[in-house]
Amino acid sequence: MKPDNPILSSLALVAGLLFLSPVLYSIWMSFQTSTAYYTGTVHFTLVNYEVAVGQYNFARYLFNSIIVSGAVTVIGTAFATMAAFAFARFTFPGNNLLFAATVATLMIPSHISLIPNYLTLADAGLLDTYAGLILPAISNGFAAFFLRQYIRGIPRALDEAAYMDGASPMKVLWRVIVPIAKPAILSMGLYIFIGEWNNYIWPLVATSRESLYTLQVGLAHLYRLNPGEGLIDWPLVMAASTISLLPVILGFVLVERHLIRGITMGAVK
């Protein structure tokens, strides 16, 4: 194996630092006081995190985002996996039409369904509830399409061997397909989690109680609070933003070794 080229390694490091510089700057800013920020001095403090969590209820917002994003990820990934298995392995009347309709949802902007979803959940009495935040997001056409392409690359002989041993279709799915497709499933789980974690419009529309605000809605609310003379407390806003980054970074670290493998293998298959 050839040793790494030091020039290319240095260029990659510089490019990585440039790419991360806005994030690193926002984290650095979160440890400054607002006075130090506006006067150009340096004064490190943890008070911004204490204020964000204690005074502005970001612990509650973080809890809400974890509940909503976690439920959407688990349910959405399970539904997408089952749909992908059905599309990849079974032939039934309307199979191609239903799959085409699933793929067609990728071309529909999510904002078009905003009003129908709101009216439907309002009639069902599910606004201002966790269910109202979770249900509209559990179907994901892209995840079903991606996993279907991945599962089609798994040899059918494995399924047939399991059927010969008396396994049911659900047992084949969970005992044969899921373990093999684990990299792709985890990749889609992270994709769904990040998408829901960053969702702003629907939680803003579907909730009016502050106790159900997610982090993104809480961040927007915090941004509108000025400490005086029309100045935004940017260090406080950056502290809250840093809090919102932590679960995403943790999720990436947990599935990082499966992420690239799942995406590349799914594309090749």
Side-chain angles (χ1 to χ4, degrees):
M1 179 180 294
K2 294 183 179 180
D4 292 336
N5 189 319
I7 297 178
L8 293 179
S9 300
S10 300
L11 290 176
L13 178 61
V14 172
L17 291 175
L18 287 175
F19 181 79
L20 291 174
S21 58
V23 177
L24 297 176
Y25 178 68
S26 67
I27 294 175
W28 177 85
M29 191 194 304
S30 70
F31 291 102
Q32 304 295 311
T33 63
S34 59
T35 302
Y37 170 73
Y38 280 108
T39 57
T41 58
V42 177
H43 183 191
F44 287 97
T45 179
L46 293 175
V47 69
N48 294 317
Y49 290 90
E50 296 174 0
V51 171
V53 173
Q55 183 176 343
Y56 291 105
N57 297 324
F58 266 79
R60 178 68 184 186
Y61 304 157
L62 178 63
F63 174 78
N64 291 338
S65 288
I66 291 175
I67 291 296
V68 173
S69 299
V72 169
T73 300
V74 173
I75 300 173
T77 304
F79 282 2
T81 303
M82 290 187 287
F85 177 65
F87 286 133
R89 287 296 196 255
F90 298 105
T91 302
F92 50 88
N95 179 27
N96 293 331
L97 180 61
L98 187 58
F99 180 70
T102 301
V103 175
T105 61
L106 304 179
M107 298 179 285
I108 301 176
S110 59
H111 295 79
I112 290 180
S113 61
L114 194 64
I115 294 177
N117 284 338
Y118 181 88
L119 295 176
T120 300
L121 293 175
D123 290 340
L126 293 178
L127 295 179
D128 278 329
T129 64
Y130 284 122
L133 292 171
I134 294 169
L135 289 177
I138 59 176
S139 62
N140 192 299
F142 175 72
F145 167 76
F146 180 89
L147 292 175
R148 182 244 190 190
Q149 301 304 108
Y150 194 99
I151 293 173
R152 287 186 67 184
I154 298 175
R156 286 181 177 268
L158 300 175
D159 303 27
E160 295 170 356
Y163 286 130
M164 290 178 64
D165 289 338
S168 64
M170 287 299 296
K171 184 169 291 187
V172 170
L173 172 61
W174 298 115
R175 297 289 181 87
V176 177
I177 300 298
V178 169
I180 297 174
K182 183 179 177 180
I185 293 172
L186 290 177
S187 299
M188 283 298 98
L190 181 62
Y191 167 82
I192 293 172
F193 178 81
I194 293 176
E196 185 59 29
W197 186 266
N198 293 326
N199 191 6
Y200 170 70
I201 295 298
W202 178 248
L204 177 67
V205 171
T207 58
S208 58
R209 290 189 295 158
E210 186 177 352
S211 61
L212 285 174
Y213 282 179
T214 60
L215 273 174
Q216 307 308 322
V217 179
L219 278 172
H221 178 68
L222 181 62
Y223 175 81
R224 294 193 296 268
L225 299 176
N226 298 326
E229 300 182 0
L231 298 177
I232 298 174
D233 192 345
W234 284 114
L236 177 59
V237 174
M238 291 301 103
S241 299
T242 302
I243 293 174
S244 71
L245 284 176
L246 297 179
V248 176
I249 295 174
L250 178 61
F252 179 81
V253 169
L254 291 176
V255 304
E256 182 268 339
R257 67 190 184 94
H258 299 287
L259 183 61
I260 302 301
R261 179 167 172 255
I263 293 175
T264 55
M265 289 183 68
V268 172
K269 289 176 183 295

